[in-house]
Amino acid sequence: ELGADLKFLDGRISLGATYYQNKIDGAILAVAVPASTGYTNQWANAAVLSNKGYELDFNVAVVKNDKLTWNIYGNVGSNKNLVESLSGVGNVFLAGFTGSSSRAVEGHQMGALWGGKWERNEDGSLKLDANGFPQQAAEEGVIGDPNPTWRGGFGTNLTFKGITMNLLFEAC
């Protein structure tokens, strides 16, 4: 992890920046086992995960005196994670229902959306039957990623005679 916190004008302006990167070896997941064992899954140190990302933030004290304080602040950040290994298992069910679920899948971000897929032509378009309906693929697979590419917020707070009001907008 590498970061910096900077303050200017007697602390009225502050800036922060952080970049991080880490690897988790042995994340605990419930891995499916053959039903002949008498169980359906076993908790194991089965996953290797990697994370990398950044965080940036700022705060500006626009007005600062005995009666009134007005700040403007914001932040933005991004985290990319990757399931690097699942100890020989292609995917691990995390949550959801039959037909669609959240899973740990090798080569994808944690929590990838899993479900039924559609047959595709070589150009990527849907393969249609004689009646014009799409054809369901024989196997399920990753159909999406619920993880945001970034998250951020922007806000302001105002304090007057001991009463504080805060307004915050968030996006991802």
Side-chain angles (χ1 to χ4, degrees):
E1 182 172 331
L2 179 66
D5 288 319
L6 307 170
K7 294 190 178 197
F8 305 98
L9 301 175
D10 199 25
R12 290 184 68 155
I13 298 174
S14 65
L15 303 170
T18 303
Y19 172 79
Y20 60 90
Q21 181 174 324
N22 66 18
K23 186 176 259 188
I24 301 163
D25 190 4
I28 300 172
L29 296 173
V31 180
V33 294
S36 60
T37 64
Y39 299 94
T40 56
N41 59 48
Q42 169 186 331
W43 290 97
N45 297 69
V48 176
L49 310 172
S50 63
N51 285 289
K52 64 180 175 179
Y54 67 89
E55 298 172 0
L56 305 169
D57 64 77
F58 75 92
N59 186 52
V60 177
V62 179
V63 177
K64 188 176 184 179
N65 60 43
D66 294 342
K67 295 181 182 178
L68 179 68
T69 303
W70 176 32
N71 288 355
I72 297 174
Y73 58 91
N75 63 17
V76 65
S78 178
N79 179 62
K80 298 293 179 206
N81 67 65
L82 181 67
V83 178
E84 294 186 8
S85 171
L86 286 173
S87 300
V89 179
N91 69 79
V92 175
F93 176 86
L94 299 174
F97 304 96
T98 303
S100 65
S101 60
S102 175
R103 298 200 182 190
V105 182
E106 277 189 21
H108 294 273
Q109 288 201 72
M110 189 69 150
L113 299 176
W114 183 274
K117 297 174 81 174
W118 300 104
E119 289 287 338
R120 302 268 177 186
N121 294 312
E122 288 183 23
D123 65 358
S125 63
L126 288 174
K127 192 173 197 176
L128 305 177
D129 67 11
N131 297 319
F133 292 104
Q135 299 295 302
Q136 189 169 2
E139 295 183 10
E140 294 180 339
V142 174
I143 58 174
D145 182 1
N147 299 295
T149 54
W150 64 276
R151 292 185 71 129
F154 178 79
T156 183
N157 64 31
L158 183 70
T159 301
F160 180 69
K161 293 187 178 183
I163 298 173
T164 301
M165 293 182 294
N166 190 53
L167 178 67
L168 174 65
F169 297 97
E170 287 188 310
C172 58

